[in-house]
Amino acid sequence: MHERVESIITKAVTDIIRKEFEEEARPGSVVLQKTREEFEGDFTLVVFPFVKLSKKSPEQTAEIIGKKLLENIEVVKSYNVIKGFLNISLYTQYWLDFLSAAISDDGYGFSEECEAKPVVVEFSSPNTNKPLHLGHIRNNLLGYSIAKILEASGKKVYKVNLVNDRGIHICKSMVAWKLFGNGITPEKSGKKGDKLVGDYYVKFENELKEQANKLMIEKFMSEEDARKVSPLMQQAQTMLVKWENKDADTLAIWSLMNGWVYEGFDETYKRLGVSFDKIYKESETYLHGKSIVEEGVEKGVFYKKDDGSIWVDLQDEGLDEKLLLRADGTSVYITQDIGTADIRYKEAQPAEMIYVVGNEQNYHFNVLKKVLKKLNKPYADNIFHLSYGMVELPQGKMKSREGTVVDADDLMDEMHKTAKEITEILGKTSDFSDDEKEKLYETIGLGALKYFILKVDPKKNMMFNPVESIDFNGNTGPFIQYTHARICSILRKAGENRLRSIFLRIAPDKANEKEIKLLKLIYSFPAVLKEAAEEYSPALIANYVYELCKDFNQFYHDYSVLNETDIAISDFRLLLSKLTAQTVKNSMSLLGIEVPERM
RNA sequence: GGUUCCGUAGCUCAGCUGGAUAGAGCAACAGCCUUCUAAGCUGUGGGUCCCAGGUUCGAAUCCUGGCGGAAUCACCA
């Protein structure tokens, strides 16, 4: 692919300023933007930043730069100046050449892998005591999409999952299952493993509440104290110590129950369409974390309190003192994160370690980075917390106590069902086989869900209203999928033979405005991808592909591809449609969304 | 209380590395299917970009201070 015209123009402008005004433009001050619809032109240069250098009026400055660009750059056809804005037009042939070049490239917009050092993207990170819910869905979709985006922009990416498979919360469901489960299993109960274990976690919390209430009334204790001394909590704590001491019975129950959960998770992940290159388990990394913490004590960067607990003092960094290891020697959350980071770095020597974790843990990652820095770890600065916003429901945050948690599996079922209903009403799939229908409903339902979540800026909290949030019209996944299916329909009707033998021979003045607009938008895809990778934002891709589809649908409405009698124009439109479909498909693949060929 | 993030149309969101008259979708209303898929297209109405200052040729965008909301400041993860 030839050099992007924007960078050619940008460089030329810098040269012109140097030659004509004998001044150096500040780096980054020469910025080309798309010309707004209302004006004539392809790119616009804002010249206000250069009037101090030129010592001329904005109009004169723009004139001088425009004139020189026209003289020096072959593909520049004309320019016009409005106030301080220099609008530059290229020859239509430039866009047609671009179409010829891009059409043969199935992976249009994607870069070849070119960077030596990999990037590790951690996402999902579930606990093995509860099933996945809507919050995890946002996490998984973001993580997977960002991995795809980074890959498409030339990075080697390792997708990793860190499963939180140990700790007091895990012991809670184990205790409850042992006490109240009567040896029930997923097979016997007919439940998914993660759901079954989740039930016993809830059971524990309910029973604990009852015990605590009783203690509060009988012994006038505070709720906090009552929970702490209740028999159930004591059992959970004992179990944790046993677990860390590798008690055989405890480990047996633990691996049994975790095994059930993994089976359940695998099902959910598979359906969501996410996957990992490696799964880390906290149970396998926390010991390494412990040893690093002890190493820190020896080095004198951490300190031991009288009770034996280990702390780090981050007060000089504007933070607090932070516990790293409990007095009984058991580890806390951050202990394993220290270990995991170290293991990960040693294994892959990554240039960057990205953690896709909710913004509720901003403080935690701040601490983690500072702790690693105190330890002089080389990767302390390579850690990037991709902090995303919470998913809120109309009634506020999801709360398991109030039963407002939106279960991931249930939600996907719901989406499938809605897709089915709408598709049946529209009645375009009568000749589909049952398998094809089911596949289609799943594609559309999940497409709607994924797009809905990914189109929002990751950093922002988002609202999810289960009854009305997911639409199938307008700025939605199905709209984009539909556009793709529409194009495929044209390509099918054109036929393999014609598509194979086609070539671009349209005269530049025969291409209309909508077509060129579409072509320009497709041209900007690589730039959008680059920005999405830099910003870690699938939302940019989502908004881009929506705009692309909207423009295509306008074109589709106004002009006919196959009924056009001028064969050169028809061929051009066919190629344009094909490239649009390719770009839509590629964009959607970055979001982990499939696009059907018929719907 | 400290820290961080957020506040744009009735609702959900774009736009935010300062640039021309602030955009979409949904919802409401009015149109468009003998022609490539109407999950589409076109139009109408809808805004003190939370408020007040400041910087600038130019501010939704940057700075300061308010107001409102969220998260966090655990020997939970």
Side-chain angles (χ1 to χ4, degrees), chain A residues 1-13 32 42-43 69 73-76 88-91 94-95 98 520 523:
Chain A
M1 172 112 342
H2 45 295
E3 192 179 2
R4 307 219 106 223
V5 68
E6 296 101 304
S7 65
I8 296 175
I9 295 175
T10 305
K11 272 183 215 153
V13 170
L32 228 44
D42 296 321
F43 298 104
L69 285 175
I73 300 178
E74 223 178 315
V75 296
V76 173
I88 303 158
S89 301
L90 306 187
Y91 284 104
Y94 179 82
W95 302 114
F98 158 69
K520 283 198 270 185
Y523 175 86

Side-chain angles (χ1 to χ4, degrees), chain A residues 125-251:
Chain A
S125 321
N127 297 347
T128 56
N129 63 339
K130 276 185 240 166
L132 304 175
H133 55 68
L134 180 54
H136 292 109
I137 288 187
R138 190 177 193 190
N139 181 302
N140 281 290
L141 297 180
L142 275 174
Y144 185 77
S145 176
I146 279 148
K148 284 282 182 195
I149 288 168
L150 292 175
E151 245 164 33
S153 42
K155 306 216 161 152
K156 169 80 197 144
V157 178
Y158 288 125
K159 294 175 300 208
V160 306
N161 188 357
L162 173 65
V163 182
N164 195 297
D165 63 341
R166 46 141 268 124
I168 190 73
H169 53 300
I170 308 298
C171 292
K172 287 179 181 175
S173 34
M174 286 160 62
V175 166
W177 180 81
K178 220 173 145 181
L179 291 176
F180 313 111
N182 296 315
I184 195 156
T185 65
E187 288 74 33
K188 281 189 219 163
S189 65
K191 275 197 167 170
K192 266 181 92 211
D194 53 335
K195 297 276 159 59
L196 182 70
V197 172
D199 287 350
Y200 282 93
Y201 183 76
V202 172
K203 177 81 176 161
F204 180 95
E205 288 296 336
N206 290 342
E207 294 288 331
L208 176 65
K209 200 172 184 180
E210 239 170 71
Q211 288 189 356
N213 281 344
K214 218 168 150 194
L215 286 168
M216 283 158 70
I217 294 163
E218 286 171 4
K219 308 214 167 153
F220 309 103
M221 297 172 89
S222 72
E223 188 181 346
E224 198 184 334
D225 288 343
R227 285 175 65 94
K228 243 182 236 171
V229 303
S230 67
L232 266 176
M233 194 58 114
Q234 291 298 313
Q235 288 179 67
Q237 232 118 36
T238 310
M239 193 173 263
L240 181 62
V241 175
K242 275 183 168 173
W243 186 91
E244 292 211 12
N245 290 330
K246 297 191 165 48
D247 171 69
D249 289 348
T250 307
L251 285 179

Side-chain angles (χ1 to χ4, degrees), chain A residues 468-487:
Chain A
E468 58 189 42
S469 265
I470 301 281
D471 224 306
F472 286 69
N473 300 314
N475 187 359
T476 66
F479 167 82
I480 293 158
Q481 291 171 321
Y482 173 73
T483 307
H484 182 264
R486 245 184 171 181
I487 301 175

